[in-house]
Amino acid sequence: ATTLANHHFKGVAVVSETAPSADALCRVALRSGWPIHHFWHGLAGFTYSTRCIANHLHFFSQADRDFFIRHGWPPERAHATGHPRQSQLTAEIHRLRMKPSTEGGLRVLFASQPGYADDFSIQQYRDTMEAVLRAAKTLSLTADEFRVRLHPVESAAVYLEMANKYVPELRCSLLSTCSVAEDLAWANVLVTVFSTMSIEACYAECFLIWLVVGDFFTEVGEELLRYGYGHKATSSEQLAKELELC
């Protein structure tokens, strides 16, 4: 911080919302009067983070921008400019994809998110995972048609326990070990609760299904639905029907 304070910057850019290093950088910028640009990369919330003290927010989409403007952000400081990572990621997906997203049969990627103690509870997490696995069982999806991508903090052991109940023949072959670009290049359908891969899937021209089991709710997720970003399912039966249509 002392070293940075000895220099003058036109502005600083951060992506992390809670990392101590990003927080420290923002506080040095505040003291020095440097503009702070936050490149937003999650579904919206108002807990404390670096975006709460940024001068400018840069979003994936107009839906995200509208959400923050409704909650008090000045329009001139909220920008629907995408995210620097997306151009490179999209180019990599198109380089890797051997077949167009609408060809080659059903290829379903479930982008999981971990359960928390508050908004998205551990029970909702389990209910969501079970809904996905039940739908896969109902449709007899194979390892070539169904893939699960766990969030880095999720436990593979918890997933394997549930998978053994519904699709024991697939449980060890379903967990992805690929990169985000490789998974999205393979998939033509993405199922998720609130993963940021939902936006990346739209860029990759995947069919998007928001799976909302129980009373979990994200306002920006509903806003994205209203803008035409994907369809919604609230049970394993509804999810199976959506996948049948695909």
Side-chain angles (χ1 to χ4, degrees):
T2 303
T3 302
L4 287 172
N6 292 330
H7 298 272
H8 178 75
F9 293 91
K10 293 181 179 179
V12 298
V14 294
V15 175
S16 174
E17 300 178 13
T18 57
S21 55
D23 181 75
L25 176 60
C26 287
R27 296 193 179 281
V28 171
L30 280 174
R31 290 198 299 270
S32 303
W34 307 329
I36 301 168
H37 295 263
H38 187 284
F39 287 89
W40 181 77
H41 70 292
L43 292 183
F46 289 94
T47 55
Y48 172 77
S49 67
T50 56
R51 67 170 171 246
C52 297
I53 56 176
N55 303 103
H56 295 273
L57 291 184
H58 301 266
F59 300 106
F60 285 120
S61 72
Q62 187 64 38
D64 306 323
R65 180 175 183 264
D66 290 347
F67 176 88
F68 273 82
I69 290 173
R70 283 203 314 277
H71 287 85
W73 264 79
E76 67 274 12
R77 293 170 54 200
H79 314 282
T81 52
H83 189 291
R85 173 173 176 263
Q86 300 309 318
S87 296
Q88 181 180 354
L89 179 65
T90 304
E92 181 68 3
I93 289 167
H94 289 297
R95 185 187 72 79
L96 291 169
R97 180 169 276 157
M98 301 301 293
K99 299 177 183 177
S101 59
T102 54
E103 295 181 7
L106 187 66
R107 300 186 300 278
V108 181
L109 174 66
F110 174 54
S112 185
Q113 288 291 103
Y116 297 98
D118 43 19
D119 291 345
F120 187 58
S121 70
I122 302 298
Q123 187 58 51
Q124 284 173 315
Y125 164 74
R126 293 186 68 91
D127 291 345
T128 300
M129 182 66 80
E130 288 186 350
V132 173
L133 294 172
R134 284 200 303 270
K137 179 180 180 180
T138 298
L139 298 177
S140 300
L141 297 182
T142 67
D144 294 326
E145 297 171 321
F146 180 47
R147 187 181 292 183
V148 175
R149 182 179 184 85
L150 297 182
H151 188 279
V153 305
E154 284 183 75
S155 166
V158 172
Y159 158 78
L160 291 172
E161 171 201 331
M162 290 189 282
N164 193 50
K165 180 178 178 182
Y166 296 100
V167 286
E169 69 281 5
L170 298 178
R171 70 186 190 94
C172 292
S173 62
L174 291 183
L175 283 184
S176 172
T177 57
C178 299
S179 68
V180 170
E182 288 169 333
D183 273 341
L184 288 174
W186 171 83
N188 53 22
V189 178
L190 181 89
V191 179
T192 190
V193 182
F194 60 99
S195 172
T196 53
M197 284 183 71
S198 57
I199 306 298
E200 294 157 356
C202 289
Y203 294 158
E205 300 177 345
C206 294
F207 187 82
L208 175 61
I209 301 176
W210 300 90
L211 180 60
V212 183
V213 178
D215 57 1
F216 179 72
F217 173 83
T218 61
E219 184 175 344
V220 76
E222 297 296 321
E223 185 84 354
L224 287 166
L225 279 166
R226 287 193 290 273
Y227 273 78
Y229 287 93
H231 291 216
K232 183 176 179 179
T234 58
S235 67
S236 63
E237 293 79 12
Q238 198 172 2
L239 175 59
K241 288 179 181 177
E242 288 282 352
L243 293 175
E244 276 188 316
L245 292 174
C246 294

